[in-house]
């Protein structure tokens, strides 16, 4: 459905297990709140990128363990983000410039936060990095100016990219 001309709400069936690469990318006419099916196992790259008229929160289903590159990049979701503890990797630009609000609770098993994963979101509160984190990419949290408090980098972190926390 990439760059489709549909105007209306997007309702996904509960039996859906896979949403492929770019499945709804650039579908600017889709609006409303997105409810991802509980049976979902895989979210492809850029699956919901550029859905500027989508609003509300994002809840990632339990069976999805990786958030791919650009999955929600530049979308209009303006609620909270609920990531379950089994997620191990968040790809480049996964939530870039998506105006998600509230506190960002990172999964306990998370190991990789790629470049610009949370660039220019609107998170607030204290950022707590999980103990399993190994890699924080370039500009991963840049321009989340409402984050505050003490930032503790866990012992196991191997790399922190350029500008990872710029303008926080």
């Amino acid at each position: 459905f990439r760059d489709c001309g549909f105007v209306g709400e997007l309702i996904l069936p509960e039996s859906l297990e896979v949403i492929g690469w770019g499945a709804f990318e650039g579908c600017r006419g889709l609006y409303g709140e997105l409810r991802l099916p509980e049976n979902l196992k895989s979210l492809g790259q850029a699956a919901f990128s550029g859905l500027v008229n989508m609003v509300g929160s994002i809840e990632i289903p339990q069976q999805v363990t990786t958030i791919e590159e650009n999955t929600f990049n530049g979308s209009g979701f303006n609620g909270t983000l609920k990531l379950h503890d089994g997620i191990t990797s968040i790809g480049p630009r996964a939530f870039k410039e998506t105006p998600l609000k509230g506190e960002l609770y990172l999964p306990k098993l998370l190991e990789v936060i790629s470049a610009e994963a949370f660039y220019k979101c609107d998170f607030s509160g204290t950022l707590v990095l999980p103990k399993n984190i190994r890699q924080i990419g370039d500009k991963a949290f840049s321009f989340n100016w409402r984050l505050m408090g003490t930032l503790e980098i866990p012992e196991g972190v191997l790399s922190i990219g350029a500008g990872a926390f710029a303008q926080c």
Side-chain angles (χ1 to χ4, degrees):
F1 300 101
R2 184 174 183 221
D3 294 323
C4 69
F6 290 119
V7 175
E9 290 188 64
L10 175 60
I11 300 170
L12 302 172
E14 277 304 313
S15 59
L16 187 63
E17 294 182 356
V18 175
I19 297 175
W21 179 87
F24 299 98
E25 181 180 12
C27 293
R28 295 178 174 272
L30 295 176
Y31 61 82
E33 294 189 31
L34 176 67
R35 187 173 171 280
L36 295 173
E38 286 184 34
N39 290 326
L40 194 65
K41 296 176 183 175
S42 177
L43 270 170
Q45 290 183 17
F48 298 102
S49 180
L51 272 66
V52 295
N53 293 312
M54 297 297 284
V55 296
S57 299
I58 300 171
E59 183 173 348
I60 305 299
Q62 289 293 320
Q63 295 182 63
V64 175
T65 59
T66 300
I67 310 297
E68 300 289 342
E69 182 174 347
N70 293 316
T71 302
F72 297 96
N73 183 359
S75 293
F77 297 100
N78 58 0
T80 59
L81 175 62
K82 187 172 181 184
L83 302 169
H84 62 83
D85 283 333
I87 295 172
T88 58
S89 177
I90 299 175
R93 299 168 305 282
F95 299 97
K96 180 181 178 181
E97 295 183 352
T98 299
L100 293 161
K101 295 180 179 12
E103 288 206 47
L104 173 60
Y105 296 102
L106 296 173
K108 290 180 183 176
L109 300 180
L110 188 62
E111 295 178 4
V112 176
I113 301 170
S114 298
E116 300 182 9
F118 298 106
Y119 179 94
K120 216 172 190 179
C121 293
D122 198 19
F123 293 114
S124 60
T126 302
L127 178 63
V128 178
L129 297 173
K131 291 179 181 176
N132 286 347
I133 200 76
R134 300 288 175 257
Q135 177 186 340
I136 301 169
D138 294 348
K139 301 179 186 176
F141 297 99
S142 291
F143 294 96
N144 280 284
W145 63 275
R146 296 183 338 134
L147 290 175
M148 60 187 74
T150 301
L151 178 62
E152 184 176 332
I153 308 293
E155 287 293 323
V157 171
L158 302 174
S159 68
I160 300 173
F165 301 98
Q167 302 297 316
C168 288

